[in-house]
Amino acid sequence: MLAKPRGYCAGVDRAVQTVEEALKLYGAPVYVRKQIVHNKHVVSTLEARGAVFVEENYEVPEGATVVFSAHGVAPEVHDQARERNLKAIDATCPLVTKVHHEAKRFAAEDYDILLIGHEGHEEVIGTAGEAPAHIQLVDGPDDVANVVIRDPAKVVWLSQTTLSVDETMETVARLKTRLPLLQSPPSDDICYATSNRQHVIKEIAPECDVVIVVGSINSSNSVRLVEVALGAGARAGHLVDYASEIQDEWLDGATTVGVSSGASVPDELVMEVLARLADHGFGEVTEFTTAEERLTFSLPQELRRDMKLAAAARAAAS
């Protein structure tokens, strides 16, 4: 049973295209702060084309081009780039940017902001950096007891975009038990792609002896898919980067296998998994669809501007 939607979301597609187009336009090397998206295959493929992945701006030569990842960065990262005269291209997913704007707005109104998310995740670090004096992290339902706020009438929750929908709602329910006046974000912070992938995996999991999710271990939304599958009734669930990681014993005695992939996974990796499963007798594939995704995002404005200038220069030269 092949889940759909699966794989690339609009934000990931935009971020990967940003690095590809930057390499074409400026030539290698193009530096990328952190992994552009959390997928081992995507990162290694872009490295082979001339992308250089670094952890921090100080590793980028002064005056060079740097792309900020889809997960977003704190304002201080932009400041550091300016100080080093870097040509910064911001590939932050627009849905993450929306959460940043919410954080800034509520902080300006002097709210306490409860950010539901996973400690240390790049997206959480970036969002918290927008208003560190106002934001405190709530890392799941069990962390609710540690929340301390100034005014119970001026508190709002926001969330990382790639969380388990059910676990986030459980966290919110516990928070509202403690804080009845807790406000919600103007619109859902968990992104459409995360929600859609979790919804379809919930639908197929009860019929599956094993669910295989293609994705990297540092991909929050991929890890959540395995958890959601197990919670929805799959007898077993596994996360793999590549088809070669599938172990024969996972399939012993199985008659139905569910397959999905995280939002930063190219579909070619899923097709390789299907081919491997076919070699083990799982040749009949039924695609189970619960939503159609048509959203697209334009490339970052800094990159689009330079692409237009380059196109105009070529036209003038010819």
Side-chain angles (χ1 to χ4, degrees):
M1 300 187 74
L2 179 61
K4 185 180 177 182
R6 64 181 179 275
Y8 270 16
C9 63
V12 163
D13 194 35
R14 173 183 186 262
V16 174
Q17 278 191 53
T18 295
V19 179
E20 292 172 341
E21 293 296 334
L23 284 166
K24 290 180 197 172
L25 186 60
Y26 308 121
V30 166
Y31 293 84
V32 184
R33 184 184 179 275
K34 307 291 187 182
Q35 292 188 354
I36 186 68
V37 296
H38 286 158
N39 183 263
K40 185 186 294 186
H41 178 78
V42 170
V43 169
S44 62
T45 300
L46 291 173
E47 280 179 329
R49 296 181 187 176
V52 177
F53 291 87
V54 300
E55 286 300 303
E56 299 297 345
N57 284 338
Y58 67 78
E59 300 173 62
V60 181
E62 289 200 21
T65 299
V66 63
V67 178
F68 296 147
S69 79
H71 310 102
V73 297
E76 65 181 10
V77 175
H78 289 280
D79 294 340
Q80 293 163 359
R82 281 189 289 270
E83 288 168 7
R84 293 185 61 77
N85 194 32
L86 302 180
K87 182 180 188 62
I89 299 171
D90 190 354
T92 300
C93 173
L95 299 180
V96 174
T97 300
K98 176 182 78 76
V99 181
H100 282 226
H101 289 327
E102 290 169 354
K104 287 188 284 189
R105 180 166 70 82
F106 283 111
E109 296 173 9
D110 201 30
Y111 274 74
D112 281 330
I113 301 167
L114 305 180
L115 178 59
I116 302 172
H118 295 304
E119 187 170 5
H121 191 279
E122 286 159 40
E123 184 185 327
V124 165
I125 293 169
T127 302
E130 294 287 1
H134 289 264
I135 292 176
Q136 59 183 298
L137 181 65
V138 183
D139 196 342
D142 294 338
D143 202 23
V144 169
N146 300 319
V147 168
V148 178
I149 52 108
R150 295 169 299 160
D151 181 353
K154 291 198 74 172
V155 58
V156 62
W157 70 270
L158 304 176
S159 83
Q160 183 180 330
T161 62
T162 55
L163 300 179
S164 159
V165 175
D166 291 342
E167 184 177 294
T168 301
M169 290 303 98
E170 181 186 348
T171 303
V172 171
R174 290 197 193 184
L175 284 169
K176 286 186 173 178
T177 299
R178 283 195 59 196
L179 302 163
L181 299 179
L182 177 70
Q183 292 190 38
S184 298
S187 60
D188 196 350
D189 284 346
I190 295 178
C191 86
Y192 76 97
T194 297
S195 299
N196 286 347
R197 281 150 189 71
Q198 289 179 20
H199 178 68
V200 66
I201 209 75
K202 271 187 185 179
E203 292 291 314
I204 68 174
E207 300 180 46
C208 295
D209 299 301
V210 58
V211 168
I212 294 173
V213 175
V214 187
S216 294
I217 191 67
N218 63 336
S219 166
S220 176
N221 76 89
S222 300
V223 173
R224 301 290 85 73
L225 282 176
V226 177
E227 294 172 354
V228 168
L230 292 171
R235 265 70 81 193
H238 303 281
L239 183 69
V240 299
D241 270 298
Y242 298 103
S244 58
E245 297 172 11
I246 296 171
Q247 298 178 25
D248 293 348
E249 55 265 31
W250 295 351
L251 307 175
D252 288 347
T255 58
T256 304
V257 178
V259 176
S260 186
S261 60
S264 49
V265 177
D267 214 42
E268 66 191 85
L269 299 183
V270 177
M271 296 304 108
E272 290 171 6
V273 165
L274 294 182
R276 184 171 175 88
L277 290 173
D279 290 342
H280 285 76
F282 296 90
E284 182 184 338
V285 179
T286 300
E287 190 168 57
F288 195 95
T289 305
T290 55
E292 294 290 341
E293 294 180 348
R294 296 184 175 87
L295 183 65
T296 59
F297 294 129
S298 59
L299 293 170
Q301 60 180 1
E302 311 95 328
L303 183 59
R304 282 185 282 126
R305 181 188 62 236
D306 286 357
M307 290 170 72
K308 285 179 182 176
L309 289 172
R314 285 195 300 270
S318 62

